Amino acid sequence: MRRSSLLKVASAAAAVTLLAGACGGGGGSAAPTDTGGGGGGGGGGDQTLKIGYVLPETGSLAVLGPPQIQAVKFAISKINDAGGVLGNKVPDPVGGDEADDQAVAAQSADRVLAAGVNVIIGAAASGMSLAIIDKITGAGVAQCSGSNTAPTFTDYNDNGLYFRTAPSDALQGPVLADVIVGDGHSNVAIVARADDYGKGLADATAKALEAAGIVFIGPNPKAIAAMGDKIESKKAAAAAKVSTVPGHLGVIADEKEAVKIANDIGYPVMIKASAGGGGKGMRIAWSEKEVAEGFARSRSEAKSSFGDDRMFIEKFIVDPRHIEIQLLGDKHGNVIYLGERECSIQRRRRCLMRRRAGRGASSRSRWRKPSATTPPAPWSSSPGRPAASSSWR
């Protein structure tokens, strides 16, 4: 049995290698096929290798799903052409959708595991893999991804059952920086996706460029790290004497401490994950009971989504106006603001619509926002008034 288990994992690794090579190709949608049969957690006494996947068929990364699904099928066909595994053909994969939603990804993982698979390919996004890795590896099933790049997985406690064929951002960043330096560039700006695929790579590349003495046009690595961590960003804002929502600027250890802090702040409160975004790891609480329950749930959600379960609590502002002001500054102390936008229309704490800001805002509250010492953008009509002033009327 030990030999057969090793052969199954080796075959799965071969499948993922083929998958990685085909990720950039085309392919149509693939409907999940239930193979039936049991065996779970390594297949039990069944000598047939069963492969499943949890990959994006819907959601923001749906474009990545079809080629990876076709790659899984192609890998299975090549394994079967070579005689299968232990003399048995590998059946069609059992599929599930990660959908850019950790709840959906978890349900898909449960369904695929119930089919008795030995290995699951996916998820495509690092955040979605973090949402299901404990469930999969905890069941004794191997998990392989051809596209996870978050450094979190490097030393993750996965029982030796998680594999990936894409290098970590911590490895890709320095290589990309070497290429930039080798091409003779001395002033560099980085534009990256604001998700699992962009943030880590941008940060690692910026650090490597700074270490190489390159003039980096954009936030320095320290600023990027601080702004990606809500606790640290609020501390930085407080140190700069910028007004922030009242709350506890530190990591909260457990539910008991959370309740004490919430009572001190006053209800309602917002429980927040320090890492990540997109409304995940956040709960509103109106009582001690809701704080205790919400803290535990938010902490678990943050751990599975971001690999970071640090939590904090701040006052929840009822019926707020969410106005964002765009700022641009340099290391010489020059700062301008570029107008405003309103993000008050939200669902599940995620912005649904952005519009020109300020409808109904009083002139007094509007004039209070930017500091009198902050110069307007060059195209503003007058000092203290951004160009978008008409949107406030």
Side-chain angles (χ1 to χ4, degrees):
M1 286 300 296
R2 176 63 179 169
R3 178 175 176 273
S4 66
S5 296
L6 289 174
L7 283 172
K8 287 181 180 180
V9 173
S11 299
V16 177
T17 301
L18 288 166
L19 181 154
C23 278
S29 61
T33 304
D34 192 333
T35 63
D46 191 348
Q47 298 301 300
T48 301
L49 172 66
K50 299 183 178 71
I51 298 176
Y53 65 78
V54 178
L55 292 166
E57 297 174 288
T58 60
S60 63
L61 294 178
V63 67
L64 299 180
Q68 294 197 53
I69 293 168
Q70 291 302 320
V72 172
K73 293 185 174 183
F74 176 71
I76 290 174
S77 71
K78 300 303 289 185
I79 292 172
N80 286 338
D81 288 346
V85 178
L86 301 176
N88 296 318
K89 296 291 187 180
V90 179
D92 290 340
V94 183
D97 185 11
E98 69 179 75
D100 195 26
D101 185 306
Q102 65 172 7
V104 174
Q107 292 171 1
S108 295
D110 284 335
R111 186 170 60 254
V112 175
L113 285 170
V117 299
N118 307 102
V119 59
I120 291 180
I121 309 298
S126 294
M128 293 302 102
S129 281
L130 283 170
I132 60 178
I133 186 171
D134 290 339
K135 184 186 298 288
I136 295 172
T137 60
V141 172
Q143 179 181 354
C144 307
S145 174
S147 53
N148 289 166
T149 59
T152 308
F153 296 104
T154 301
D155 55 3
Y156 196 90
N157 183 15
D158 55 21
N159 299 319
L161 291 171
Y162 172 84
F163 306 87
R164 60 177 170 183
T165 58
S168 164
D169 292 327
L171 298 176
Q172 292 190 60
V175 172
L176 181 57
D178 283 345
V179 172
I180 293 171
V181 174
D183 286 345
H185 300 290
S186 57
N187 295 282
V188 178
I190 294 178
V191 178
R193 289 177 60 99
D195 61 12
D196 292 336
Y197 286 107
K199 294 177 182 177
L201 182 58
D203 184 38
T205 304
K207 288 179 179 177
L209 288 171
E210 187 176 67
I214 299 298
V215 176
F216 181 65
I217 303 171
N220 60 48
K222 184 178 179 181
I224 293 175
M227 292 303 103
D229 185 313
K230 298 184 189 72
I231 291 176
E232 293 305 314
S233 63
K234 290 198 71 171
K235 287 180 178 178
K241 301 189 185 315
V242 175
S243 297
T244 60
V245 176
H248 181 75
L249 295 183
V251 178
I252 300 173
D254 52 33
E255 291 90 337
K256 184 176 180 180
E257 183 182 8
V259 169
K260 181 180 182 303
I261 290 171
N263 287 337
D264 291 340
I265 294 173
Y267 295 96
V269 296
M270 175 70 85
I271 303 165
K272 283 187 177 181
S274 183
K280 296 176 182 177
M282 297 172 62
R283 296 284 191 287
I284 301 169
W286 296 77
S287 66
E288 291 186 1
K289 181 181 178 181
E290 290 185 3
V291 169
E293 294 175 352
F295 182 86
R297 286 186 171 185
S298 296
R299 191 175 195 176
S300 176
E301 186 176 60
K303 177 66 175 178
S304 64
S305 297
F306 316 124
D308 185 339
D309 63 357
R310 292 174 302 129
M311 307 296 298
F312 71 103
I313 295 177
E314 62 185 16
K315 182 69 176 177
F316 174 65
I317 309 300
V318 180
D319 295 329
R321 292 288 297 279
H322 184 138
I323 308 294
E324 296 181 358
I325 303 176
Q326 307 300 304
L327 300 174
L328 183 64
D330 62 23
K331 64 182 180 181
H332 304 293
N334 301 308
V335 182
I336 61 173
Y337 57 87
L338 307 174
E340 309 94 341
R341 62 185 181 184
E342 180 160 7
C343 305
S344 299
I345 302 174
Q346 299 187 8
R347 180 175 182 268
R348 295 181 180 176
R349 297 168 294 282
R350 299 185 71 173
C351 181
L352 293 178
M353 181 186 298
R354 291 180 173 87
R355 66 179 185 178
R356 288 192 309 165
R359 292 175 183 267
S362 68
S363 59
R364 180 178 178 182
S365 66
R366 186 187 184 291
W367 273 78
R368 270 207 320 258
K369 294 199 309 300
S371 165
T373 60
T374 303
W379 52 85
S380 294
S381 58
S382 62
R385 291 180 64 91
S389 59
S390 61
S391 67
W392 286 89
R393 293 171 186 155

